[in-house]
Amino acid sequence: MIYKLRAILDTEEDIFRDLAIKKTDSLEDLHNALVNAFGFDGSEMASFYTCDDNWNQEDEIPLFDTGDEPGEMRIMSDFTLEDLLYEKQTKIIYVYDFMNMWTFLIELAAIENQEVGATYPELLYSLGEMPLGNDPNFEADEDSLFSEFEDDLDEDDLDLFDGDDSFEDFGFEENWN
């Protein structure tokens, strides 16, 4: 059987991907499909979270075991999709890159028979472009890196210490250790 899933990026803009994936594939397989579908490079940490019908986050399922003891945590490769998603439980949350917190709401839309000759996972539909900052080759326009006060800066503004007596004002010596 095939699961048809919709992964919606939690933003104001409409950005989502529809995927078809075998119900026996692991959460790690789904993670890899999502990385490819949204154009990530796959170098960041990620986790799935179980949730209730109102998208309230519950148990974490990380990509790697981050517990104190090896084997303490169950990870993405330990779960098949059918372990977590079925007719009465259709929602999970996916978070990619904990610095940027790309959060996706994933919902099971349909369970169908596998098509003969089809390759899974498969990207079925794509809507919307990822916001800036997703592209690892992105370089900001040089003008956007400077403030409106750029002309007021000089070398003295960048010097933290005005001279030998700069530490005296704080009640300790420069080489205190």
Side-chain angles (χ1 to χ4, degrees):
M1 300 298 283
I2 298 302
Y3 279 179
K4 290 192 174 178
L5 304 171
R6 174 160 287 173
I8 304 168
L9 179 60
D10 190 18
T11 60
E12 289 182 23
E13 302 82 31
D14 290 334
I15 301 171
F16 67 86
R17 305 292 185 263
D18 290 344
L19 301 165
I21 188 167
K22 294 177 186 177
K23 74 175 190 171
T24 56
D25 280 349
S26 70
L27 283 180
E28 186 174 12
D29 295 326
L30 178 57
H31 157 75
N32 291 328
L34 292 167
V35 163
N36 290 327
F38 284 95
F40 294 118
D41 65 9
S43 65
E44 300 296 333
M45 288 294 297
S47 287
F48 284 98
Y49 296 88
T50 58
C51 63
D52 62 19
D53 286 339
N54 295 318
W55 298 104
N56 294 311
Q57 184 175 309
E58 296 172 345
D59 298 324
E60 179 181 14
I61 304 167
L63 180 59
F64 301 108
D65 186 347
T66 57
D68 293 334
E69 298 290 325
E72 179 180 359
M73 298 181 75
R74 292 186 67 194
I75 59 174
M76 289 182 197
S77 61
D78 294 333
F79 292 89
T80 63
L81 292 174
E82 65 186 339
D83 290 338
L84 298 175
L85 295 173
Y86 41 90
E87 289 179 19
K88 294 188 188 285
Q89 175 55 44
T90 61
K91 299 175 181 179
I92 57 174
I93 299 169
Y94 174 69
V95 177
Y96 178 82
D97 184 358
F98 293 105
M99 294 298 289
N100 290 309
M101 292 299 291
W102 297 106
T103 303
F104 300 86
L105 309 175
I106 300 175
E107 188 162 17
L108 176 61
I111 301 172
E112 298 180 355
N113 290 323
Q114 185 172 340
E115 293 181 25
V116 177
T119 304
Y120 300 101
E122 178 183 11
L123 178 62
L124 301 173
Y125 185 76
S126 177
L127 178 77
E129 296 294 322
M130 291 296 292
L132 288 177
N134 172 47
D135 182 359
N137 298 316
F138 170 75
E139 292 183 22
D141 180 7
E142 203 171 298
D143 292 337
S144 68
L145 299 176
F146 299 103
S147 77
E148 62 186 85
F149 305 108
E150 174 188 0
D151 294 336
D152 296 337
L153 291 176
D154 59 25
E155 289 295 319
D156 292 334
D157 293 328
L158 301 177
D159 188 9
L160 296 176
F161 311 110
D162 296 325
D164 293 336
D165 63 344
S166 62
F167 289 98
E168 291 175 11
D169 295 338
F170 298 107
F172 58 90
E173 296 178 15
E174 180 176 356
N175 297 316
W176 61 275
N177 59 352

